[in-house]
């Protein structure tokens, strides 16, 4: 029942769409998923090849996935270092070794690497895979927890698989600056102490190559490949020469062969490393060196650097300064361990007088202590002192800097200044106090402003225009003549969340691993940002600033802007452009209208009028052609260029800002801040209140609904049959349940799923009400999730039975919320620990071993006794469970069937536990009413009845195929010609799990099923799986799938995906060998079949 609250007078507004809206094509909505993905969106494994837009982190994941047997990932929340490999593995993508790479996300804690170590040295480890690398993906935040593991691995490396750790140099410094920092010092110290190799990438463009090189170097010794995790790993850019998985494999094998031919077992680690890099360059035509020199041949001052951003910027700055006749040079350290002194000294010019080592130190104390030196300084000093043949040894000074230092071309150039003398020692440090000094230096330009366009976007987390820069960048990237880069920085501590995004566009490759300093255009999506950041500092003189101000008049603009901001605009001749989306007369109900208008306004400012073709390209990314064309006509009304008077340059002293605002953000996160939905308070009410709503329906705008708490359309059906298919003595309870649709009007299509809106167990609900001291008949009012003005009313008993997942597993947030109600200090402390990072191990045990429920926790901590309206707020609602429909409505017009396996287990207290939905369904009796809904599925029949079906189902995965076969039987009965039907089924035992066996055989006798491949794995000594039956009948598959253009379907668990896919690839290869002389890539053919909906998976 819904009650309209009295404050909302009158009837509800008519929400029916207008005729014009009904005619519009579907609206596309662009939404970023992760900052570690190109343009924030998913990328398929097979598409990473040749010229393509990627992020550095994507390239690292591609190499690790393609070449590894297993990947252990240590990615803190929001870092998303492993988001791509997890998806590829779940999709069944095959690596170069022909199987799905295992991906194991691990927790960052003490003993974090013990599982990885146990896997490598397990008695069950497949020794045939010993030569295949094992990989780790993580951040420097995880290294301290992995030290013991890596140390032990180094000692046992002669009998271990090659091991490479791809480490993003990023950590969080809560105590120092509450920001994310690029941490190299920790990895350098670990490599020195444990004896691993340490390789650094110098730019995103070489990340794939260095990932491959590090993987090959792992054949010699355990290797850490480190790269900047804040900027380089997350910048989307176009890389021209990306190798596909086959190219990685082919080149890797060739490099290994050449390296082995030039190396003996007696060769030193240093020699093997040098030989490997030489073989790498020979094969790929590259010019990588262990130490790379940039600068003048007669340099008197040389800077030694290690780290991605440091090396990239230092090399570019050196080249720039040399062109300006400066005698300086830079040595970029690519391979820090092993540190090959001879190779380092070869790169030191004979003319050098002083060498500065740009060395990162781990802590502020090390930065301030003159007696502590960076690790890189100690290596350089030892090499120069004991190995140099120069007649006059240069001075070596340690230029220390903290992990949180943000580098720019100007700050790197400042490092060539003469060092300060501190207590007689040539030593210098660069910290945050140098920022103001660096800012005062004239900006050093290493990019040509005539060939590179630069745009900076500032916005708040909750702004409608937050995705504008990603849409713009992807739109610009559609022009193959330009190279686009985009990088976002998140500061979730300012104003609840501010995002800065830099976009660069150039016809040449752009390498600029630093924030934009002279933007052509700056876009500010929320005016409040001007109170926290000086956005004018990143605009070039004479540039443009687009400011979004809604519903403002020309007279009010000056009042909105601070005096110092107005002065900066005037003095630096910056063009101010106001975007006011409220002035557009275009009427649409689309919630993304502001986003569309703002992206169009930006393009209007930058490019002038947007062509029809460009609007269509933009619509393919975000929006709709008709909507964007209509809004484009209104852009002139939205964009206002402000004439800046000379008087804005005059600022009285009292109006000056005493503390100049920062011109940049501190990166505190890699994602937008979590905007917790504010749940309106639940209200306890009485029967009298509910009665008023029922008696005076018009006054309270009351309407009745089957399930008012559900946003999807539901129907009531009744149980027609509930029949167990497996023997009662068998350990798996698989049952067939069929519902009578009656007069419900429910319609469903082949392949769709039935959503079951189940109920909790009545006896458990009653026990909880009694133990917790609730009144079962008390009325609870909860504002609807659809409209806060509408109240859903139900009793406490109904809410616990139908709405609250009180017997489900609670997330961490529940413990944190519950701690608020605890009166006992010990209980409060324990709850807070379980909700925080320190309780991660115990929380995992509770969730996965003890399988505790919300109810268990509420009863375990009696001093935390929230009222029921608070329980309704902090306990998650029950979700519908979806099951593939096992019937065709053409054959069974008044019923719908499901095939279910009961989920049950014994917990650590000896209690038998059940999955909520399967327990509910299994307990139903004939005639019981059930609330259901329908959900679309990927399991669709091909368009023609003559197209063959090849179906593989394991266990209850046979459900949709029963519907498929019933439909084909109905078509045959109608006199239609039908294609071949090949059904492969897998289970453990035929006697117990031959699900619908008699039906399949009857359909086979009737000529509907052409081939029935039954794989019962445990009915004979030699296990037989579904892929074995498929391989035995591969000629039938070739005929049905390839020659007759059939469709393949797999439903069930994920584990058989790679094996089944391998059989299909074999079929493609065999067919190609017999029909053509051209070589066919079976993997690519499978990808094409996926696109044509002829390779369909529904796995779980």
């Amino acid at each position: 029942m819904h009650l309209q609250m009295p404050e909302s007078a009158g009837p509800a507004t008519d929400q029916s769409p207008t005729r014009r809206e009904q005619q519009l094509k579907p609206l596309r909505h662009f939404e970023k998923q992760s900052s570690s993905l190109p343009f924030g969106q998913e990328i398929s494994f097979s598409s990473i090849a040749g010229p393509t837009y990627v992020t550095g982190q994507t390239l690292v994941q591609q190499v690790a996935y393609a070449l590894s047997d297993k990947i252990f990932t240590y990615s803190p929340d929001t870092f998303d270092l492993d988001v791509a490999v997890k998806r590829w593995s779940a999709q069944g993508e095959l690596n170069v070794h022909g199987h799905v790479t295992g991906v194991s996300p691990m927790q960052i804690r003490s003993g974090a690497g013990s599982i990885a170590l146990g896997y490598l040295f397990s008695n069950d480890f497949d020794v045939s895979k010993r030569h295949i690398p094992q990989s780790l993906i993580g951040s420097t935040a995880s290294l301290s927890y992995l030290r013991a593991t890596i140390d032990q691995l180094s000692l046992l490396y002669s009998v271990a698989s090659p091991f490479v750790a791809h480490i993003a140099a990023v950590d969080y410094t809560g105590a120092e600056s509450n920001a994310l920092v690029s941490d190299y010092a920790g990895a350098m110290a670990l490599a020195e102490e444990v004896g691993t190799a340490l390789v650094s990438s110098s730019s995103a463009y070489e990340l794939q190559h260095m990932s491959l090189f590090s993987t090959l170097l792992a054949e010699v010794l355990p290797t850490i490949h480190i790269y900047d995790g804040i900027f380089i790993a997350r910048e989307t850019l176009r890389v021209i020469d990306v190798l596909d998985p086959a190219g990685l494999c082919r080149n890797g094998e060739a490099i290994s062969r050449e390296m082995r031919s030039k190396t003996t077992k007696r060769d030193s680690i240093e020699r093997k490393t040098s030989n490997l890099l030489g073989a790498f360059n020979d094969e790929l035509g590259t010019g990588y060196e262990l130490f790379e020199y940039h600068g003048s041949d007669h340099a008197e001052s040389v800077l030694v650097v290690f780290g991605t951003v440091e090396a990239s910027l230092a090399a570019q700055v050196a080249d720039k300064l040399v062109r300006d006749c400066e005698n300086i040079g830079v040595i970029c350290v690519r391979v820090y361990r092993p540190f090959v002194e001879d190779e380092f000294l070869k790169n030191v010019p004979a003319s050098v007088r002083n060498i500065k080592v740009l060395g990162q130190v781990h802590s502020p104390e090390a930065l301030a202590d003159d007696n502590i030196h960076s690790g890189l300084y100690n290596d350089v000093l030892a090499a120069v002192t004991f190995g140099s043949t120069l007649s006059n040894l240069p001075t070596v000074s340690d230029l220390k800097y903290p992990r949180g230092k943000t580098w720019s071309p100007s700050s790197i150039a400042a490092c060539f200044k003469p060092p300060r003398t501190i207590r007689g020692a040539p030593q210098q440090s660069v910290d945050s106090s140098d920022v103001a000094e660096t800012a005062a230096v004239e900006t050093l330009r290493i990019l040509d402003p005539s060939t590179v366009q630069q745009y900076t976007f500032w916005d708040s987390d909750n702004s409608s225009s937050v995705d504008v820069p990603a849409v713009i960048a992807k739109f610009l990237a559609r022009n193959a003549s330009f190279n686009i880069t985009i990088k976002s920085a998140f500061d979730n501590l300012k104003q609840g969340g501010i995002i800065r995004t830099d976009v660069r566009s150039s016809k040449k490759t752009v390498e600029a691993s630093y924030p934009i300093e002279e933007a052509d255009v700056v876009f500010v999506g929320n005016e409040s940002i001007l109170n926290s950041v000086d956005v004018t500092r990143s605009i070039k003189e004479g540039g443009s600033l687009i400011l979004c101000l809604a519903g403002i008049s020309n007279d009010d603009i000056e009042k909105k802007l601070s005096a110092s901001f107005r002065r900066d605009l005037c003095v630096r001749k910056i063009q101010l452009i106001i975007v006011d989306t409220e002035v557009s007369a275009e009427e649409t109900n689309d919630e993304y209208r502001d986003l569309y208008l703002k992206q169009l306004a930006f393009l209007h400012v930058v490019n002038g009028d947007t062509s029809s073709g460009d609007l269509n390209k933009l619509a393919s990314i975000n929006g709709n052609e008709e909507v964007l064309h209509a809004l484009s006509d209104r852009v002139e009304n939205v964009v206002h260029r402000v004439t800046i008077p000379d008087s804005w340059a005059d600022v009285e002293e009292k109006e000056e800002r005493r503390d100049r605002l920062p011109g940049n953000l501190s990166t505190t996160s890699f994602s937008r801040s979590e905007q917790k939905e504010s749940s309106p308070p639940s209200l306890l009410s009485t029967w009298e209140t509910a009665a008023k709503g029922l008696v005076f329906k018009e006054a309270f705008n009351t309407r009745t609904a089957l399930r008012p708490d559900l946003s999807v359309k539901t129907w009531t059906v009744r149980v027609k049959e509930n029949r167990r298919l497996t023997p009662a003595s068998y350990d798996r309870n698989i049952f067939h349940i069929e519902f009578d649709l009656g007069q419900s009007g429910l319609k469903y299509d082949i392949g769709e799923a039935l959503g079951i809106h189940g109920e909790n167990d009545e006896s458990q609900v009653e026990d909880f009400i009694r133990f917790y001291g609730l009144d079962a008949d008390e009325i609870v009012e909860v504002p609807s999730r659809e409209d806060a003005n509408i109240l859903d009313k139900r009793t406490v008993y109904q809410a616990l039975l139908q709405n609250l997942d009180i017997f489900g597993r609670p997330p961490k947030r529940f413990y944190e919320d519950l701690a608020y109600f605890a009166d006992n200090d010990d209980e409060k402390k324990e709850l807070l620990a379980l909700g925080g990072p320190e309780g991660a191990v115990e929380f995992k045990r509770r969730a996965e071993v003890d399988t505790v429920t919300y109810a268990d926790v509420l009863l375990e901590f009696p001093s935390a006794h929230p009222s029921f309206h608070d329980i309704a707020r902090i306990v998650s609602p029950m979700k519908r469970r979806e099951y593939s429909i096992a019937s065709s409505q053409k054959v069974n017009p008044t019923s719908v069937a499901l095939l279910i396996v009961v989920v049950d287990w014994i917990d650590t207290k000896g209690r038998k536990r059940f999955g909520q939905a399967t327990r509910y369904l299994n307990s139903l009796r004939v005639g019981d009413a059930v609330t259901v809904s329908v959900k679309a599925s990927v399991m669709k029949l091909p368009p023609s009845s003559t197209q063959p079906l090849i179906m593989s189902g394991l266990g209850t995965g046979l459900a949709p195929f029963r519907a498929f076969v019933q439909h084909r039987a109905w078509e045959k009965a109608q006199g239609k010609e039908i294609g071949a039907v090949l059904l492969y089924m897998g289970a453990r035992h035929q006697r117990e799990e031959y699900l619908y066996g008699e039906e399949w055989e009857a359909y086979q006798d009737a000529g509907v099923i052409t081939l029935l491949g039954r794989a019962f794995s445990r009915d004979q000594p030699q296990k037989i799986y579904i892929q074995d039956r498929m391989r035995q009948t591969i000629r039938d598959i070739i005929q049905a799938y390839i020659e007759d253009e059939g469709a393949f379907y797999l439903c069930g668990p994920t584990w058989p995906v790679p094996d089944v896919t391998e059989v299909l690839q074999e079929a493609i290869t065999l067919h190609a060998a017999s029909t053509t002389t051209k070589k066919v890539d079976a993997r690519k053919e499978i990808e094409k079949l996926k696109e044509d909906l002829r390779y369909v998976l529904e796995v779980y």
Side-chain angles (χ1 to χ4, degrees):
M1 179 177 69
H2 280 317
L3 300 185
Q4 183 76 26
M5 295 182 73
E7 289 77 4
S8 54
T13 304
D14 182 11
Q15 298 295 324
S16 59
T18 65
R19 181 181 298 275
R20 181 179 183 280
E21 289 172 325
Q22 289 175 336
Q23 294 172 348
L24 289 178
K25 295 178 181 178
L27 288 161
R28 296 179 181 86
H29 174 51
F30 181 95
E31 188 171 356
K32 293 177 66 175
Q33 298 170 9
S34 170
S35 63
S36 70
L37 297 171
F39 301 109
Q41 299 189 304
E42 291 180 349
I43 183 170
S44 67
F45 182 61
S46 60
S47 67
I48 305 176
T52 188
Y53 278 94
V54 290
T55 60
Q57 191 62 37
T58 306
L59 290 175
V60 169
Q61 292 178 85
Q62 182 231 17
V63 175
Y65 191 89
L67 302 180
S68 305
D69 165 49
K70 198 172 186 67
I71 303 173
F72 299 92
T73 67
Y74 298 83
S75 177
D77 292 343
T78 77
F79 279 29
D80 284 349
L81 301 175
D82 55 357
V83 63
V85 292
K86 287 193 292 189
R87 179 170 178 266
W88 297 334
S89 183
Q91 291 176 333
E93 296 285 1
L94 303 182
N95 59 24
V96 300
H97 309 290
H99 63 260
V100 176
T101 303
V103 178
S104 298
M106 313 299 290
Q107 291 184 340
I108 302 175
R109 55 177 176 79
S110 297
S114 55
I115 292 180
L117 202 63
Y119 175 77
L120 289 173
F121 296 103
S122 168
N123 292 331
D124 298 328
F125 185 84
D126 186 351
V127 292
S128 66
K129 294 183 178 180
R130 185 66 76 189
H131 67 289
I132 301 177
Q134 311 295 332
S135 294
L136 182 151
I137 294 177
S139 70
T140 42
S142 62
L143 281 183
S144 60
Y145 300 100
L146 295 168
R147 188 194 184 286
T149 297
I150 297 175
D151 190 11
Q152 192 169 357
L153 178 64
S154 298
L155 296 174
L156 301 171
Y157 205 62
S158 61
V159 292
S161 297
F163 177 82
V164 57
H166 300 284
I167 300 297
V170 56
D171 198 357
Y172 185 77
T173 57
E176 298 171 30
S177 59
N178 289 321
L180 293 168
V181 297
S182 294
D183 179 14
Y184 296 99
M188 296 170 81
L190 179 68
E192 165 68 16
E193 295 166 3
V194 177
T196 67
L198 181 59
V199 179
S200 172
S201 290
S202 297
S203 76
Y205 294 102
E206 62 181 44
L207 258 175
Q208 189 192 46
H209 284 178
M210 286 302 102
S211 297
L212 174 59
F213 172 75
S214 299
T215 305
L216 297 173
L217 183 57
E219 296 178 10
V220 179
L221 76 167
T223 300
I224 297 174
H225 167 221
I226 196 164
Y227 52 94
D228 173 65
I230 295 179
F231 199 103
I232 299 298
R234 294 172 187 275
E235 182 182 34
T236 298
L237 73 172
R238 182 163 69 171
V239 181
I240 303 299
D241 55 351
V242 177
L243 297 170
D244 63 9
L248 289 170
C249 178
R250 184 175 58 255
N251 286 286
E253 290 176 349
I255 294 166
S256 293
R257 283 196 301 271
E258 184 179 348
M259 187 262 193
R260 286 192 291 269
S261 69
K262 296 180 178 180
T263 306
T264 66
K265 291 184 179 180
R266 295 183 179 181
D267 286 338
S268 65
I269 295 294
E270 289 80 3
R271 181 175 177 80
K272 290 178 180 178
T273 304
S274 297
N275 287 344
L276 177 63
L277 190 56
F280 192 93
N281 289 329
D282 291 342
E283 182 64 27
L284 294 178
T286 51
Y288 299 122
E289 297 181 27
L290 302 179
F291 304 91
E292 296 176 356
Y293 181 79
H294 301 265
S296 170
D297 293 335
H298 308 290
E300 297 179 354
S301 179
V302 169
L303 185 68
V304 182
V305 300
F306 179 83
T308 309
V309 172
E310 291 85 338
S312 174
L313 273 178
Q316 293 178 82
V317 168
D319 292 340
K320 166 68 175 174
L321 294 179
V322 168
R323 289 196 297 270
D324 295 339
C325 301
E326 297 269 359
N327 283 329
I328 57 91
V330 168
I331 298 177
C332 299
V333 180
R334 180 176 298 283
V335 179
Y336 176 67
R337 283 291 181 272
F339 194 92
V340 185
E341 290 187 359
D342 291 344
E343 292 296 323
F344 172 77
L345 294 172
K346 287 179 183 178
N347 285 276
V348 178
S351 55
V352 68
R353 294 184 178 181
N354 64 80
I355 297 175
K356 294 184 181 182
V357 179
L358 195 61
Q360 189 184 82
V361 290
H362 193 268
S363 65
E365 293 75 21
L367 189 70
D369 192 336
D370 302 337
N371 296 313
I372 297 177
H373 294 283
S374 66
L376 183 58
Y377 167 81
N378 291 330
D379 287 301
V380 172
L381 181 64
V384 171
T385 303
F386 301 110
S388 176
T389 59
L390 297 175
S391 55
N392 294 316
L393 291 181
T395 60
V396 180
S397 55
D398 193 6
L399 185 57
K400 297 188 292 185
Y401 68 98
R403 297 183 300 164
K405 175 66 180 174
T406 300
W407 293 104
S408 68
S410 300
S411 58
I412 287 288
C415 294
F416 289 100
K417 292 180 180 180
R420 299 191 297 268
T421 300
I422 303 176
R423 298 180 187 174
Q427 184 163 316
Q428 198 172 341
S429 66
V430 181
D431 58 22
S432 57
S433 64
D434 295 309
V435 172
E437 177 186 346
T438 303
V441 178
E442 182 180 353
T443 300
L444 180 68
R445 292 176 180 164
I446 59 176
L447 296 178
D448 184 352
S450 66
T451 61
V452 181
Q453 287 72 52
Q454 303 184 95
Y455 314 116
T456 296
F457 298 79
W458 299 88
D459 222 326
S460 54
D461 273 356
N462 56 1
S463 169
S464 63
S465 53
V466 70
D467 288 325
V468 164
V471 173
I472 296 297
K474 194 163 187 178
F475 167 75
L476 295 175
R478 294 290 176 92
N479 187 340
S481 300
F482 288 88
N483 293 281
I484 309 300
T485 69
I486 176 173
K487 166 67 175 64
S488 295
F490 301 82
D491 188 341
N492 292 343
L493 302 181
K494 277 191 173 71
Q495 297 186 3
I498 295 179
I499 304 173
R500 169 181 175 155
T501 303
D502 286 344
V503 177
R504 291 180 169 101
S505 173
S506 174
K507 288 192 174 183
K508 297 181 179 180
T509 297
V510 177
E511 183 175 341
S513 51
Y514 57 94
I516 290 175
E517 297 177 312
E518 294 184 301
D520 296 277
V521 180
V522 167
F523 179 97
V524 181
N526 190 321
E527 62 175 294
S528 65
I529 292 172
L530 303 180
N531 299 322
S532 298
V533 183
D534 183 2
V535 301
T536 63
R537 287 171 63 179
S538 61
I539 309 177
K540 73 177 184 181
E541 187 165 335
S544 298
L545 189 148
I546 302 174
L547 178 61
C548 295
L549 286 173
I552 190 170
S553 65
N554 289 333
D555 296 336
D556 292 333
I557 291 176
E558 184 169 336
K559 299 175 185 177
K560 277 279 187 181
L561 308 177
S562 69
S564 53
F565 180 76
R566 299 197 306 268
R567 178 207 56 204
D568 290 345
L569 295 180
C570 186
V571 171
R572 300 187 59 211
K573 298 179 176 58
I574 296 172
Q575 173 68 59
L576 176 63
I577 301 164
I578 301 298
V579 171
D580 182 0
T581 57
E582 288 189 5
V583 304
S584 173
E586 180 68 23
E587 294 295 333
T588 77
N589 287 330
D590 179 33
E591 60 180 308
Y592 304 112
R593 172 180 165 277
D594 273 6
L595 170 60
Y596 304 149
L597 275 172
K598 289 173 181 177
Q599 66 192 27
L600 288 171
F602 178 86
L603 291 174
H604 179 78
V605 171
V606 173
N607 297 332
D609 292 336
T610 306
S611 69
S612 175
D614 284 344
L615 287 174
N616 294 341
K617 289 179 183 178
L618 189 61
S620 68
I621 301 169
N622 190 49
N624 164 281
E625 292 177 13
E626 294 177 59
V627 169
L628 292 186
H629 278 277
L631 293 177
S632 179
D633 296 336
R634 313 298 305 174
V635 168
E636 296 269 356
N637 298 334
V638 171
V639 175
H640 307 283
R641 297 182 184 272
V642 178
T643 302
I644 298 179
D646 293 339
S647 60
W648 282 17
D650 301 325
V651 180
E652 295 182 13
E653 185 176 349
K654 64 180 181 180
E655 293 179 315
E656 276 278 14
R657 284 174 290 185
R658 292 183 180 179
D659 298 320
R660 187 167 177 81
L661 294 174
N664 199 6
L665 300 177
S666 294
T667 301
T668 64
S669 178
F670 292 127
S671 64
R672 296 160 63 180
S673 59
E674 272 190 42
Q675 303 294 332
K676 294 184 179 180
E677 294 183 10
S678 55
S679 302
S682 304
L683 307 171
L684 288 178
S685 186
T686 64
W687 280 108
E688 288 81 358
T689 305
K692 289 178 184 178
L694 291 170
V695 174
F696 305 106
K697 291 185 177 181
E698 292 185 1
F700 285 87
N701 196 19
T702 303
R703 67 180 179 85
T704 57
L706 175 63
R707 286 290 296 272
D709 54 302
L710 302 176
S711 59
V712 296
K713 181 173 177 57
T714 58
W715 294 267
T716 297
V717 297
R718 293 190 177 275
V719 178
K720 180 179 180 181
E721 181 184 9
N722 191 342
R723 171 169 51 96
R724 178 163 178 160
L725 301 181
T726 55
S729 58
Y730 192 52
D731 61 355
R732 300 186 77 207
N733 179 0
I734 302 176
F735 62 97
H736 167 92
I737 187 166
E738 195 163 336
F739 302 100
D740 183 0
L741 304 181
Q743 302 301 315
S744 66
L746 185 152
K747 302 292 182 185
Y748 61 91
D749 289 329
I750 293 293
E752 290 187 326
L754 193 70
I756 301 295
H757 301 270
E759 297 179 355
N760 283 317
D761 181 72
E762 291 183 8
S763 61
Q764 285 186 314
V765 169
E766 291 168 357
D767 288 344
F768 179 78
I769 288 174
R770 184 172 62 255
F771 293 148
Y772 204 76
L774 297 172
D775 182 353
D777 296 327
E778 200 161 19
I779 303 295
V780 61
E781 292 181 342
V782 179
S784 170
R785 291 177 179 270
E786 306 298 323
D787 186 346
N789 288 324
I790 297 175
L791 297 177
D792 294 334
K793 284 183 174 285
R794 46 198 179 270
T795 66
V796 167
Y797 178 80
Q798 286 174 324
L800 288 171
L801 187 69
Q802 295 183 335
N803 307 108
L804 299 181
D805 195 18
I806 194 71
F807 304 112
R809 298 181 188 180
K812 273 193 171 188
R813 182 179 170 183
F814 175 73
Y815 290 94
E816 184 181 352
D817 290 341
L818 190 61
Y820 173 80
F821 301 98
D823 296 329
N824 181 283
D825 289 341
D826 290 338
E827 289 189 1
K828 181 186 286 287
K829 184 177 180 180
E830 185 176 353
L831 285 166
L832 288 173
L834 288 168
E838 63 273 26
V841 176
E842 175 63 15
F843 172 80
K844 184 177 177 67
R845 184 187 65 79
R846 283 169 160 266
E848 298 179 5
V849 180
D850 296 342
T851 60
V852 298
T853 66
Y854 288 99
D856 292 333
V857 178
L858 286 167
L859 298 176
E860 180 184 355
F861 297 92
S863 81
H865 196 86
S867 63
F868 187 78
H869 69 267
D870 285 316
I871 289 177
R873 180 173 56 83
I874 63 178
V875 173
S876 300
M878 287 168 57
K879 297 178 181 178
R880 70 173 176 176
R881 269 48 169 199
E882 293 148 358
Y883 301 93
S884 296
I885 293 175
S887 59
S888 166
Q889 201 163 20
K890 295 286 188 184
V891 178
N892 307 280
T894 62
S895 65
V896 60
L898 302 177
L899 180 62
I900 311 290
V901 59
V902 173
V903 177
D904 58 7
W905 68 97
I906 305 296
D907 69 10
T908 53
K909 295 181 179 179
R911 299 175 296 182
K912 188 163 187 178
R913 308 295 285 270
F914 296 89
Q916 182 269 332
T918 57
R919 176 176 187 163
Y920 168 71
L921 287 169
N922 190 47
S923 67
L924 292 173
R925 298 292 175 259
V926 173
D928 286 349
V930 180
T931 301
V932 300
S933 55
V934 175
K935 184 183 178 183
S937 168
V938 296
M939 304 291 281
K940 300 293 184 185
L941 283 169
S944 172
S945 64
T946 59
Q947 283 184 264
L949 305 178
I950 303 95
M951 303 171 290
S952 296
L954 283 83
T956 56
L958 285 168
F961 303 140
R962 183 174 184 260
F964 280 21
V965 173
Q966 284 185 358
H967 187 80
R968 279 291 167 92
W970 175 84
E971 288 180 320
K972 183 178 176 68
Q974 301 301 308
K976 291 184 179 181
E977 182 184 354
I978 64 171
V981 176
L982 283 63
L983 176 62
Y984 298 92
M985 58 182 300
R988 292 186 293 183
H989 303 285
Q990 180 169 354
R991 191 174 70 86
E992 288 84 3
E993 289 187 65
Y994 191 19
L995 307 175
Y996 301 129
E998 292 181 357
E999 289 187 29
W1000 305 133
E1001 292 175 4
Y1003 282 124
Q1004 189 176 30
D1005 292 341
V1008 177
I1009 293 180
T1010 311
L1011 185 152
L1012 186 58
R1014 292 162 290 198
F1016 298 103
S1017 60
R1018 302 183 186 181
D1019 279 353
Q1020 59 283 313
Q1022 179 69 29
K1023 289 186 178 180
I1024 298 176
Y1025 296 107
I1026 199 167
Q1027 62 268 21
D1028 299 319
R1029 293 300 187 209
M1030 291 177 64
R1031 189 170 276 110
Q1032 291 169 1
T1033 56
I1034 198 166
R1035 293 296 172 185
D1036 298 282
I1037 292 176
I1038 291 173
Q1039 178 67 45
Y1041 193 33
I1042 304 171
E1043 296 180 359
D1044 296 341
E1045 298 184 347
F1048 172 79
Y1049 305 87
L1050 172 65
C1051 186
T1054 57
W1055 64 262
V1057 171
D1059 297 318
V1060 167
T1061 304
E1062 185 179 355
V1063 176
L1064 296 180
Q1065 290 175 346
E1066 289 174 13
I1068 292 170
T1069 302
L1070 285 171
H1071 179 260
S1074 63
T1075 58
T1076 180
T1077 57
K1078 294 182 180 179
K1079 185 177 181 181
V1080 174
D1081 188 331
R1083 294 182 187 177
K1084 290 185 178 179
E1085 292 301 314
I1086 291 290
E1087 292 299 319
K1088 292 178 184 177
L1089 291 164
K1090 286 181 183 178
E1091 294 175 2
D1092 295 338
L1093 301 181
R1094 291 178 53 208
Y1095 175 94
V1096 182
L1097 306 181
E1098 189 171 88
V1099 293
Y1100 39 83

